[in-house]
Amino acid sequence: MDLYYHPLSRQSQKVLIALYEKQAHFYPHIIDLTDPYARREFQRIDSTGYLPTLRIESGEIIPDASVIIEYLDATIDQGTQLIPSATSDALQVRLYDRLSDTRLDKVIDNWQSAQRQNINNQLRIKQLENELLTTLDSFDRRLATNHWLCGDSFSLADCATIPCLLSLETKFNLLDYEHLGRYWIQATLRGAINQVQEEVALTLARQA
């Protein structure tokens, strides 16, 4: 398999965590979409130009982080089962995967974009920060009765949520939350997440 991704993309991090959890063998291809040449070359593989993208042995292209992880879990027996076999449990995992993508990931994008703009966006920045705090509060309450986001087992929902928390840890003190703080500590002790954190740190060091 070939993974086209960027280490600082949260959706790419989501797939990397899943690949490491599944102990999958893949060829990594880091794509810098801000480079016009790299973008053109990547669009020859996937015309949409979105990351991450997985190309499997048959040559088929699989876009979208959640769909890639669904494919990995369905085709790789080893490692962590990321989507439960029980229908009701699987629905909860998929629900919190979507909530993480829509209530955290997209709001973080909007928040970071507003911060990059001028000082006149302070009201908008504050609104987005309040939205993020509300979402973190709801996740904290859920984790009061769950070891991982959807029960005792690490899942697709955690693959989606942890990259978002990684983006927020320098601005929001996650350890101030009783249950979310415990969750964040146990996440950072997990091997797959350590690998992603190391790649993020290395990429940031190269850009400095």
Side-chain angles (χ1 to χ4, degrees), residues 72-174:
L72 295 174
D73 209 49
T75 57
I76 300 175
D77 292 332
Q78 65 190 20
T80 306
Q81 183 178 2
L82 298 171
I83 301 169
S85 54
T87 302
S88 59
D89 294 339
L91 285 173
Q92 280 294 301
V93 166
R94 291 186 175 99
L95 170 62
Y96 274 87
D97 169 56
R98 302 317 309 142
L99 291 177
S100 290
D101 279 356
T102 57
R103 291 190 185 175
L104 275 177
D105 191 69
K106 288 186 178 176
V107 179
I108 292 170
D109 275 342
N110 293 335
W111 173 60
Q112 291 176 336
S113 177
Q115 287 185 314
R116 287 191 295 268
Q117 297 172 22
N118 59 52
I119 197 167
N120 294 328
N121 284 317
Q122 290 305 307
L123 178 59
R124 176 60 176 158
I125 291 170
K126 190 63 178 177
Q127 290 172 334
L128 290 166
E129 286 180 355
N130 287 338
E131 189 172 347
L132 287 170
L133 287 169
T134 299
T135 304
L136 292 176
D137 283 339
S138 70
F139 277 55
D140 185 61
R141 290 192 298 272
R142 178 168 181 81
L143 287 162
T145 55
N146 287 280
H147 185 65
W148 293 104
L149 199 57
C150 291
D152 292 334
S153 300
F154 190 91
S155 72
L156 164 64
D158 302 294
C159 293
T161 302
I162 288 165
C164 296
L165 298 182
L166 180 60
S167 292
L168 296 175
E169 68 168 335
T170 57
K171 176 66 178 179
F172 301 90
N173 190 352
L174 300 178

Side-chain angles (χ1 to χ4, degrees), residues 4 31 40-47 53 55 61:
Y4 301 88
I31 307 296
R40 282 196 305 272
E41 288 299 301
F42 175 57
Q43 286 176 327
R44 293 182 181 181
I45 298 164
D46 180 10
S47 60
T53 291
R55 181 165 62 183
I61 296 294

Side-chain angles (χ1 to χ4, degrees), residues 163-191:
C164 296
L165 298 182
L166 180 60
S167 292
L168 296 175
E169 68 168 335
T170 57
K171 176 66 178 179
F172 301 90
N173 190 352
L174 300 178
L175 298 183
D176 283 347
Y177 294 87
E178 179 181 0
H179 309 295
L180 188 64
R182 180 266 306 162
Y183 174 83
W184 178 239
I185 290 171
Q186 75 187 30
T188 59
L189 295 174
R190 201 168 178 95

Side-chain angles (χ1 to χ4, degrees), residues 32-43:
D32 181 4
L33 293 179
T34 64
D35 180 333
Y37 176 77
R39 179 183 286 273
R40 282 196 305 272
E41 288 299 301
F42 175 57
Q43 286 176 327

